[in-house]
Amino acid sequence: MNVDKVLDATGLVCPMPIVKTKQEMKGMEAGQVLEIHTTDPGAKSDLTAWAKSTGNELLELQEDGDVLKFWIKKG
């Protein structure tokens, strides 16, 4: 998958992974992909709901040990 930016939000707890994701997405163009790494288990539902409510597309979610990896395409 082509990724335009990677956001390391490991160690941050709610709501910071969403706050950081929102900041990164502001500077991106439509169609670009942001890869997010987080260790906050609540991010699984939070980032999924955030992507849907903001018109962005959650392309994939993977669990790699304690790290959740999200790929979100800017709408």
Side-chain angles (χ1 to χ4, degrees), residues 44-74:
K44 190 185 258 187
S45 59
D46 293 346
L47 277 173
T48 301
W50 177 85
K52 192 173 191 177
S53 70
T54 57
N56 298 301
E57 181 183 356
L58 177 62
L59 299 174
E60 192 172 341
L61 164 60
Q62 289 181 4
E63 293 187 46
D64 186 8
D66 291 343
V67 179
L68 296 169
K69 295 181 180 180
F70 298 83
W71 287 266
I72 298 178
K73 184 183 203 178
K74 183 164 182 174

Side-chain angles (χ1 to χ4, degrees), residues 4 6 10 14 16 32 34 56 61 67-68:
D4 298 288
V6 176
T10 56
C14 187
M16 291 313 294
Q32 288 187 314
L34 176 64
N56 298 301
L61 164 60
V67 179
L68 296 169

